[in-house]
Amino acid sequence: MNTRILYCRLPCNPIFPIGVVYLSDHVHKQFPDVEQRIFDVGAVPPLDYGSALDAAIDQFQPNLLVYSWRDIQIYAPVGGRGGNPLQNSFEVFYDRNPLKKLRGALGGARMLTSHYTELWRNMSLIKRGLKRAKKHNPDTKLVVGGGAVSVFYEQLAKSLPKGAIVSIGEGEALLEKIIRAEDLAGERCYIVGEAPRKGLVHEPPTPIEKTACNYNYIETIWPEFSYYLQDRDFYVGVQTKRGCPHNCCYCVYTVIEGKQVRINPADEVVAEMRQLYDRGIRNFWFTDAQFIPARRYIDDAIELLQKIVASGMKDIKWAAYIRADNLTPELCDLMVKTGMNYFEIGITSGSQELVRKMRMGYNLRTVLQNCRDLKAAGFEDMVSINYSFNVIDERFETIRQTIAYHREMEKIFGADKVEPAIFFIGLQPHTHLEEYAFKNDVIKPGYNPMSHMPWVAKKLLWNPEPLGSFFGEVCLQAFRDNPNDFGREVMKILEARLGKSELEEALTAPVEVKQLAKV
């Protein structure tokens, strides 16, 4: 029987579904005769999810169903899908006003209901689709993958249909083997009903040579493609590399994508962008874990940007996560010339001591100098700096250092151009922070990382004492005083309460500080 693959992208935040697009493109290049279709469930009204899925399956009659599940955990800094988890939880845990506590509890209950309803809905769509497909083809196989599945693959096994293939990380090599009916024992996957291999998520992915996505083909198999072309402000994802070599204590990217960085050829990236450009797309998001993950990849970034300049796509805008410690004056010039209008820096703290303890690998002094170079090159747009307060060994002293560091970034770019994004880390499985939490009795092995019960959420939304209550009060005041500019208001309140250190204190850390790796 010829393989007929239906990719079902489950509803999530409105982000271009680059995962299923790249998967289907790869399969087409390896198996031109395989029939495929992409069905983006999130592009139809919620009340029509089930009926639209039925119609897609009845029309296409697949014998291989591939579900992409991107989002599960709702511990976002602000503005989660079901509300504001930070504000709700902090009102419950820290507000002294009984009415505010009640408001937070009611908001949290609504979010809790929304979260578990979403879990139930997605599981129902997976089971409904499989049942429907088996009416047409009794031997239909089911594959479930995506970002959420790669993180929570052990917990999801209890709810997925028996026999489902659970894919961890990249799925190209897995789909190749399924199509060829080959043994899956060596792939990053497991079959529901069988125990997954220990440490499965830490196994390295199979290197895949990435070529430009063929959007002429994608248009023929994805009826909802035009949905993402309507809004000219929408950023469409393009991947320039996979993998991240760093060991940041809370990050799961390096686990899922692997530590080996695999560069996509610059000519192929530009060719892919050109296809989207010719369809009217002008805004691009480079979906790499980090656009320049280490200094050894600077030349690759320079080559890519030079070829974008040579392509004639002069009116584009692009954004990315960028390790600013890896910028050079040449790169800065090319970034401005090619239209970078926004970037995010995930330094997490403005204290070099804490940056080391979290295994971030940043030199904050170098970041500042490179940002000055970027400003000198003519960058006049927005930069978002991610700060995760109250991480390993946070103290009032390190908070003052972070404030000093942030004020220096404001001097470089302008206070109106620097957005402090305040995060409280959502503790996730398979990370060094989880190991730290085990060793320090914050959580115990066997906990459920998908739980949103209050007694679990307070531990997973990382804000431990002795500073937990202090940050709770500060954030609640910021929500009251200036909720529309939360990050800047938090910085303002912290500086008013604690002052700020000398900048040199933030940039200096003793070499002998206790490392997270040793705890």
Side-chain angles (χ1 to χ4, degrees):
M1 181 186 297
N2 292 331
T3 304
R4 298 172 60 83
I5 306 175
L6 179 64
Y7 302 88
C8 298
R9 199 255 197 138
L10 292 169
C12 67
N13 286 327
I15 296 172
F16 189 74
I18 196 169
V20 293
V21 168
Y22 280 2
L23 268 179
S24 55
D25 175 68
H26 177 83
V27 167
H28 179 64
K29 288 167 179 170
Q30 300 299 315
F31 307 94
D33 295 331
V34 167
E35 296 184 67
Q36 302 184 97
R37 181 178 170 184
I38 297 173
F39 174 53
D40 187 354
V41 185
V44 300
L47 292 178
D48 298 335
Y49 286 165
S51 59
L53 176 62
D54 291 346
I57 289 173
D58 289 344
Q59 180 186 17
F60 190 69
Q61 299 185 15
N63 53 25
L64 177 56
L65 269 175
V66 179
Y67 280 89
S68 175
W69 192 342
R70 185 184 188 276
D71 296 332
I72 284 183
Q73 200 177 63
I74 61 173
Y75 300 130
V78 235
R81 296 192 303 287
N84 190 324
L86 185 63
Q87 183 172 2
N88 288 332
S89 59
F90 276 26
E91 284 180 345
V92 171
F93 298 142
Y94 305 115
D95 208 304
R96 298 174 184 176
N97 185 327
L99 293 178
K100 294 287 182 64
K101 279 186 177 292
L102 178 61
R103 184 178 71 176
L106 292 174
R110 286 193 295 269
M111 287 187 56
L112 200 64
T113 301
S114 172
H115 168 72
Y116 284 110
T117 298
E118 188 173 308
L119 286 179
W120 175 86
R121 181 203 66 202
N122 284 358
M123 285 295 180
S124 296
L125 289 172
I126 291 171
K127 294 172 183 177
R128 179 174 182 156
L130 180 61
K131 182 178 180 181
R132 192 86 176 189
K134 284 193 171 185
K135 289 182 178 180
H136 302 288
N137 296 295
D139 296 328
T140 298
K141 289 185 171 63
L142 171 64
V143 177
V144 184
V149 174
S150 297
V151 177
F152 301 105
Y153 68 94
E154 294 164 309
Q155 290 75 32
L156 288 172
K158 301 171 185 176
S159 304
L160 291 170
K162 188 174 182 180
I165 301 167
V166 179
S167 172
I168 289 86
E170 301 158 19
E172 286 93 340
L174 174 62
L175 286 188
E176 284 189 36
K177 287 194 173 181
I178 292 174
I179 293 168
R180 295 191 181 107
E182 296 176 354
D183 182 33
L184 305 181
E187 289 302 315
R188 294 176 85 196
C189 71
Y190 71 97
I191 312 300
V192 175
E194 304 173 6
R197 296 189 298 274
K198 187 175 182 180
L200 176 60
V201 73
H202 294 281
E203 296 176 4
T206 302
I208 297 293
E209 179 70 23
K210 179 73 174 66
T211 56
C213 181
N214 181 353
Y215 276 102
N216 288 330
Y217 170 71
I218 295 300
E219 276 188 318
T220 68
I221 68 168
W222 184 16
E224 298 87 11
F225 181 39
S226 60
Y227 173 82
Y228 292 94
L229 304 182
Q230 297 170 9
D231 188 349
R232 295 304 179 186
D233 292 332
F234 194 84
Y235 280 72
V236 173
V238 173
Q239 193 175 61
T240 79
K241 65 187 67 63
R242 292 180 178 179
C244 181
H246 297 284
N247 290 300
C248 305
C249 71
Y250 54 82
C251 183
V252 77
Y253 268 116
T254 189
V255 177
I256 295 173
E257 291 197 0
K259 293 182 70 62
Q260 180 185 356
V261 177
R262 291 149 287 153
I263 303 293
N264 298 340
D267 287 331
E268 300 294 331
V269 175
V270 173
E272 183 173 317
M273 293 176 66
R274 169 58 74 174
Q275 292 180 68
L276 293 165
Y277 183 89
D278 290 343
R279 288 167 171 81
I281 297 298
R282 294 295 182 268
N283 297 328
F284 297 91
W285 179 273
F286 292 133
T287 64
D288 317 354
Q290 296 286 348
F291 182 63
I292 317 165
R295 298 195 67 81
R296 63 182 293 193
Y297 303 107
I298 289 174
D299 288 344
D300 298 288
I302 289 174
E303 179 189 9
L304 173 61
L305 296 180
Q306 286 175 336
K307 289 187 174 181
I308 290 175
V309 171
S311 73
M313 295 185 287
K314 296 181 179 179
D315 55 342
I316 67 170
K317 301 294 182 184
W318 65 270
Y321 291 103
I322 292 178
R323 288 189 64 97
D325 54 334
N326 297 323
L327 298 182
T328 65
E330 182 180 8
L331 257 176
C332 292
D333 182 63
L334 284 167
M335 286 173 167
V336 173
K337 189 178 294 184
T338 51
M340 183 180 75
N341 68 330
Y342 173 82
F343 71 102
E344 294 192 21
I345 304 175
I347 58 173
T348 302
S349 174
S351 166
Q352 185 66 57
E353 176 189 339
L354 296 196
V355 166
R356 282 187 179 175
K357 290 185 177 181
M358 288 184 291
R359 299 179 168 187
M360 302 291 293
Y362 272 109
N363 183 308
L364 294 181
R365 193 185 302 274
T366 302
V367 171
L368 283 181
Q369 182 55 52
N370 292 352
C371 285
R372 294 185 186 105
D373 291 341
L374 184 61
K375 178 66 176 179
F379 183 76
E380 298 290 345
D381 291 292
M382 292 295 297
V383 53
S384 176
I385 307 177
N386 298 342
Y387 295 110
S388 298
F389 284 113
N390 207 12
V391 287
I392 310 299
D393 289 349
E394 185 83 88
R395 308 180 304 281
F396 286 154
E397 177 187 359
T398 57
I399 298 170
R400 284 190 285 266
Q401 291 171 8
T402 294
I403 295 166
Y405 193 84
H406 185 73
R407 296 307 182 210
E408 186 65 21
M409 290 292 273
E410 289 180 332
K411 289 180 183 178
I412 294 171
F413 293 112
D416 61 324
K417 300 293 187 181
V418 180
E419 179 186 12
I422 308 301
F423 286 76
F424 288 83
I425 295 168
L427 181 62
Q428 297 194 83
H430 323 300
T431 61
H432 297 299
L433 188 62
E434 184 188 53
E435 296 175 13
Y436 176 87
F438 287 150
K439 292 177 181 178
N440 288 272
D441 294 322
V442 177
I443 55 173
K444 296 186 181 300
Y447 80 106
N448 181 6
M450 289 175 59
S451 173
H452 287 71
M453 293 296 113
W455 50 90
V456 178
K458 189 173 184 180
K459 296 180 179 180
L460 299 189
L461 188 62
W462 190 272
N463 186 37
E465 299 298 346
L467 290 181
S469 299
F470 170 78
F471 280 113
E473 293 174 7
V474 168
C475 290
L476 288 173
Q477 182 181 339
F479 282 126
R480 288 192 302 268
D481 294 350
N482 195 1
N484 295 323
D485 202 356
F486 174 74
R488 290 188 178 92
E489 190 66 21
V490 166
M491 288 296 191
K492 175 182 173 183
I493 295 168
L494 287 173
E495 185 170 7
R497 292 194 181 191
L498 303 177
K500 66 176 182 178
S501 71
E502 294 296 322
L503 179 61
E504 188 60 29
E505 291 180 32
L507 304 179
T508 306
V511 175
E512 67 273 15
V513 294
K514 184 179 179 183
Q515 299 293 310
L516 177 60
K518 298 178 182 178
V519 299

